[in-house]
Amino acid sequence: MTLSEELTWRGFVNQTTLSDLSQLNDNPTTFYTGYDASDDSLTIGNLAVLMMNKCFIRHGYQAVILAGGATSLIGDPGGKDTERQLQSTDAITANVQAVQRQIEKLFGDKIKIVNNLDWFSKMNALEFLRDVGKHFSMTPLVQRDYIAKRMGGSGAGISYTEFSYTLLQGYDFLCLYQDHGVTLQLAGADQWGNGLSGVDLVRRVAGQEVHVLTCPLIVDKATGKKFGKSEGGAVWLDPAKTSPYKFYQFWLNADDEGVESYLKIFTELDKPAIDRVIKEFQADRGGRVAQKTLAYEATKLVHGQAQADNVKRASEVLFGAGQFLELKEDEVVVLRQELPVVSAEADLAKTLVKAGLAQSNTEATRFIGSGAIYINGKKVLPESGSDSHFQKGSNLLKKGKNSFAVVEVG
């Protein structure tokens, strides 16, 4: 499969200045992707663009990842209805470093990382206006969708600071072309206008043709909303913000309609492998093999195989496909981090209340009597003794289908 074929098959093609995608198949060059440093972690929305980057790397392209150490001090107005809250230089620097570690984990030594603060910190206002601003006409800038929306009668307005953002990003492309031989920008669909600024500036200043290719913003086919937003907010790559277990569960709960697309975008499985998974999935949707494959592969990609194995086993135990007492210590740790952890009381009903699985001893006793309580996968019988339920160490206490706690016995 050629690069253009793979990009199309995986769903990575939105808009491009290339007249024909097949131009990408011969003579691999150097591309760049920039990341915003307004947060100290990327989300799975950012991951989609990085997966497109991986596709290019597999086909022989060289990658430059641009940290927005300078542009993040301004804030990209794209997709925003109001002005961003400006952050301090120290905060942006810390964010750049944190995200850089995530990117290095994903790519290893296959990329070069640069920071646009390196050139903007050496440029004064007069130089910027003469050397960059002079090459941009106001007319096409004010017609950009996100600028026009903010400047309209019902818009919140836009400061000159955010209005100038697209010029800064255009200059990024020029510097990367001159210093690193970059001839292609890869970005999300919301960066199309900024990409055109770079293409135009390189043509005007260097007399050279460069290009931009954007991938679609991923939309949850079941809800129509931007993909990666959950009730608790964004799904982050940082394990401190979205735990590997919750990350795994997010993918495990993917809708049937979109799971094939997500497999193509968020895993490195090739076409034959994905075709096999989808064939099995379509034969038995209840088995959810597509979601299980997606969850494992995406978690392995972001958090490593060992962590993916741990959360997979822990998840299987919670939902009936494994035995809690057979879990390894690392796998038990996953559950201890996600579930309430309490010490056992002499009376089981009191332990249920303590773990938050019942509101009162009376309710707990009723749950036990109805056969709704399980310990380490075994149903608790009403007539069994209260002192024989738990083993020494960690135990899994379950009420009904989806309520759990870890109970410790010293």
Side-chain angles (χ1 to χ4, degrees):
M1 188 182 292
T2 65
L3 173 57
S4 61
E5 290 171 338
E6 183 173 359
L7 291 171
T8 302
W9 171 71
R10 290 191 183 273
F12 283 138
V13 180
N14 184 53
Q15 291 177 286
T16 183
T17 54
L18 293 160
S19 58
D20 189 337
L21 272 184
S22 64
Q23 294 174 244
L24 298 170
N25 298 334
D26 302 317
N27 301 318
T29 57
T30 302
F31 70 85
Y32 97 91
T33 290
Y35 70 84
D36 178 70
S38 58
D39 283 299
D40 60 359
S41 175
L42 300 176
T43 69
I44 60 171
N46 306 121
L47 182 60
V49 179
L50 297 178
M51 296 304 290
M52 177 169 64
N53 292 176
K54 281 178 166 283
C55 191
F56 274 81
I57 292 172
R58 286 196 299 273
H59 286 269
Y61 278 71
Q62 300 298 308
V64 175
I65 306 295
L66 176 66
T71 43
S72 298
L73 291 168
I74 301 302
D76 184 356
K80 301 294 181 182
D81 295 328
T82 58
E83 289 278 321
R84 286 176 181 260
Q85 190 72 32
L86 295 181
Q87 298 188 56
S88 69
T89 301
D90 288 344
I92 294 298
T93 299
N95 291 348
V96 165
Q97 294 171 348
V99 173
Q100 181 173 331
R101 289 192 291 270
Q102 292 179 353
I103 290 174
E104 288 173 340
K105 185 175 181 180
L106 285 168
F107 289 95
D109 60 357
K110 295 180 180 179
I111 58 168
K112 177 185 293 184
I113 297 180
V114 297
N115 189 331
N116 59 17
L117 188 63
D118 291 343
W119 47 83
F120 281 119
S121 63
K122 301 172 184 176
M123 176 180 283
N124 62 41
L126 289 177
E127 289 172 332
F128 179 74
L129 292 173
R130 286 177 59 88
D131 299 340
V132 181
K134 189 67 176 177
H135 295 287
F136 286 87
S137 169
M138 288 289 293
T139 303
L141 291 182
V142 297
Q143 293 173 347
R144 297 270 170 86
D145 289 344
Y146 62 89
I147 293 178
K149 182 179 179 181
R150 293 270 291 272
M151 293 179 66
S154 60
I158 186 169
S159 68
Y160 180 75
T161 297
E162 287 198 359
F163 181 84
S164 68
Y165 182 91
T166 193
L167 279 66
L168 299 175
Q169 195 170 120
Y171 188 67
D172 283 340
F173 204 159
L174 177 62
C175 289
L176 292 171
Y177 168 77
Q178 293 174 331
D179 298 341
H180 300 281
V182 170
T183 58
L184 175 67
Q185 179 185 359
L186 304 180
D190 56 346
Q191 295 300 308
W192 173 246
N194 293 329
L196 292 180
S197 293
V199 169
D200 190 48
L201 186 61
V202 173
R203 178 179 58 81
R204 290 175 179 274
V205 175
Q208 296 296 318
E209 183 179 47
V210 294
H211 294 282
V212 59
L213 170 66
T214 65
C215 69
L217 297 179
I218 312 302
V219 175
D220 188 324
K221 290 180 170 58
T223 64
K225 296 180 180 180
K226 188 175 179 181
F227 190 66
K229 296 291 185 181
S230 65
E231 291 184 3
V235 179
W236 303 93
L237 305 194
D238 184 344
K241 303 183 81 165
T242 299
S243 71
Y245 176 83
K246 287 186 173 67
F247 188 83
Y248 182 91
Q249 290 298 318
F250 173 82
W251 301 107
L252 198 60
N253 291 320
D255 60 283
D256 288 356
E257 186 179 358
V259 69
E260 182 175 359
S261 295
Y262 307 150
L263 278 165
K264 293 175 181 178
I265 294 169
F266 294 105
T267 80
E268 294 184 283
L269 297 177
D270 60 16
K271 187 176 187 301
I274 291 178
D275 286 346
R276 286 193 297 271
V277 170
I278 294 302
K279 183 178 180 180
E280 183 179 347
F281 170 66
Q282 290 174 341
D284 177 20
R285 294 204 169 204
R288 298 182 67 78
V289 66
Q291 284 88 348
K292 291 175 182 177
T293 302
L294 171 64
Y296 181 76
E297 292 294 330
T299 304
K300 181 175 70 173
L301 183 78
V302 173
H303 297 294
Q305 183 169 344
Q307 193 67 275
D309 289 339
N310 289 341
V311 297
K312 178 176 181 288
R313 285 278 292 129
S315 182
E316 288 172 345
V317 164
L318 288 187
F319 300 103
Q323 295 298 318
F324 178 79
L325 295 178
E326 295 176 0
L327 290 179
K328 300 175 183 177
E329 180 59 30
D330 287 347
E331 296 162 350
V332 174
V333 167
V334 171
L335 295 181
R336 287 176 59 87
Q337 292 172 340
E338 300 298 328
L339 304 176
V341 180
V342 298
S343 57
E345 297 291 331
D347 184 75
L348 177 57
K350 291 182 178 179
T351 305
L352 285 166
V353 174
K354 188 176 183 180
L357 301 184
Q359 296 299 312
S360 65
N361 288 345
T362 300
E363 185 180 53
T365 301
R366 179 159 49 84
F367 287 150
I368 296 169
S370 65
I373 303 302
Y374 296 77
I375 295 176
N376 299 326
K378 294 183 179 180
K379 182 184 291 188
V380 175
L381 301 176
E383 62 273 16
S384 62
S386 295
D387 60 350
S388 62
H389 295 306
F390 300 113
Q391 297 192 20
K392 187 173 183 179
S394 298
N395 297 260
L396 182 65
L397 180 60
K398 177 182 178 183
K399 182 199 74 178
K401 291 184 178 180
N402 297 308
S403 298
F404 305 92
V406 174
V407 178
E408 297 291 344
V409 177

